[in-house]
Amino acid sequence: MKSFVYKPAREFSLVLVFSFLTLFSLSARAEWRMPAQLGLPSIAPSLQLNNLSGKSVDLSSLKGKVVVVNFWASWCEPCREEFEELAQLQENYSSKGLVVLAVNLAEMKPRVMQFLKGNGFPENSLEILFDRNSTAYKSWKARGLPTTFLVSKSGKIEGVWIGAIENVDSNEVKGKIESLLRQ
C-alpha cells in the first residue's frame, strides 16, 4: 500500500496557477497591445535576475539598447515554439543594439538546460534569466505565457505581445523593432 504525502497549499496553488497559464497560453498567436490598454506603466519596471551562469543581469544597465523581455516556461507549448523566433530576433538584431531577455518562470536550471539541449539550442542563444518566485512576472503584470514586452532605448514599454510571436520576419514585428532601433 502506497502512502500519500500531501503537498503544502503553496505548491498546490502554484500548480493551479500554472495550469491556468497553460490553458491561457494555448491561444497561441500573439496579439500586440499598448501598455495603457493593459493598465501597465509606460516605464519598464525594474528587472534584476540571475542568468544561466549565475550572474546578475539588470535591465537598467541596458539603457541605450532596445530590449525584448519575454516571459516563458519550458512546459508551455507556445513558449517552446516561440523560442526559436526569439533566438532569431537576437541573431538578426543584436549587432544593431537589440537584447532579448528570456525570463524563465519558476523553473530550475537543470530543467532549462534539458529544454535547450533537447531542442538543439546553444546555452548562449538567448540571455535566459530565472524568475523562480514569479516576482518579475507579477511586477511586469504579464498576461499568461508567453508574454513579450518591447522596451525602448530609454526604458519605455512600447507595447506587449500576448501569446506566441510566430514570425519575427513579419512586417509587424520587424517594423516595431527596426523603428525603435533607428531612434
Side-chain angles (χ1 to χ4, degrees), residues 157-173:
I157 297 176
E158 296 292 333
V160 183
W161 283 286
I162 300 173
I165 298 171
E166 295 175 348
N167 182 4
V168 295
D169 291 325
S170 71
N171 289 335
E172 178 193 27
V173 176

Side-chain angles (χ1 to χ4, degrees), residues 5-77:
V5 177
Y6 292 97
K7 295 181 178 182
R10 182 171 186 258
E11 288 182 28
F12 181 72
S13 297
L14 284 174
V15 168
L16 286 177
V17 167
F18 289 134
S19 297
F20 172 76
L21 289 173
T22 300
L23 289 174
F24 182 79
S25 70
L26 293 176
S27 63
R29 192 165 192 287
E31 178 184 340
W32 176 258
R33 304 289 297 273
M34 299 306 292
Q37 291 176 308
L38 300 172
L40 298 173
S42 60
I43 301 299
S46 67
L47 182 68
Q48 186 174 4
L49 299 167
N50 290 337
N51 65 12
L52 281 173
S53 303
K55 178 184 169 214
S56 179
V57 175
D58 190 343
L59 178 65
S60 66
S61 70
L62 299 173
K63 289 260 191 215
K65 296 193 178 281
V66 174
V67 182
V68 171
V69 178
N70 173 264
F71 288 91
W72 72 287
S74 67
W75 48 261
C76 162
E77 191 59 37

